[in-house]
Amino acid sequence: MKEWLQAPGTTVIVPPVIDLADCIPVDSYEIPGRHRRRVQLRDHTCRFPGCTVKATRCDLDHSVEHARGGPTCPCNLVPLCRRHHRAKTFSLRRYVTIQPGHYLWLSPNGRHFLVTPKGPRVLDTPRPLDPDDY
């Protein structure tokens, strides 16, 4: 191995270890490459229920809007493909981040979907509370 490393024209690049739990916010709306890479490694795909678009091809959405005080850090960034990013922005589809990598989606018809690293799950929609029942 020593001879291989000493061979002329050999270049060895040791990439840094990426800590997926690292969550150091930046003061801007723009997302630094190091944050983008952490989110892509954590989530792998668009986090809309059932979508399989790779996270490397997705927009990163601020879970809590930046304009409303949401930080630009991996724990507040969610990969959404362009189609689902627009659906979230311009329709009644919403989600909340339960913890990084775990998202609860609410559809316009009131259905709930839990998206985790194990995949999406449809949750039973709780019935509305009727005060006369109590």
Side-chain angles (χ1 to χ4, degrees):
M1 178 122 153
K2 184 177 178 181
E3 296 81 23
W4 180 74
L5 292 173
Q6 292 176 342
T10 300
T11 303
V12 177
I13 299 172
V14 180
V17 173
I18 297 174
D19 180 3
L20 296 181
D22 184 22
C23 191
I24 300 171
V26 294
D27 291 331
S28 69
Y29 175 80
E30 296 300 320
I31 301 165
R34 67 182 187 275
H35 286 359
R36 180 173 298 282
R37 186 71 180 133
R38 280 179 178 83
V39 172
Q40 291 168 345
L41 289 169
R42 180 191 69 211
D43 289 337
H44 304 285
T45 62
C46 171
R47 298 291 66 204
F48 187 84
C51 187
T52 59
V53 172
K54 292 181 182 195
T56 54
R57 299 186 60 220
C58 290
D59 300 333
L60 292 186
D61 183 51
H62 284 80
S63 179
V64 175
E65 294 176 36
H66 188 264
R68 294 180 186 233
T72 299
C73 65
C75 63
N76 191 45
L77 296 172
V78 180
L80 296 176
C81 68
R82 182 62 50 94
R83 176 179 175 207
H84 293 128
H85 194 182
R86 289 180 185 213
K88 179 258 178 182
T89 303
F90 299 112
S91 77
L92 296 176
R93 296 185 187 279
R94 297 288 175 258
Y95 71 90
V96 293
T97 300
I98 297 169
Q99 68 182 45
H102 297 76
Y103 312 98
L104 180 63
W105 281 86
L106 175 65
S107 72
N109 63 3
R111 297 196 66 191
H112 292 83
F113 301 87
L114 180 63
V115 178
T116 69
K118 293 181 180 181
R121 241 179 44 211
V122 178
L123 302 178
D124 290 334
T125 304
R127 64 180 178 81
L129 293 177
D130 185 350
D132 294 334
D133 290 344
Y134 298 97

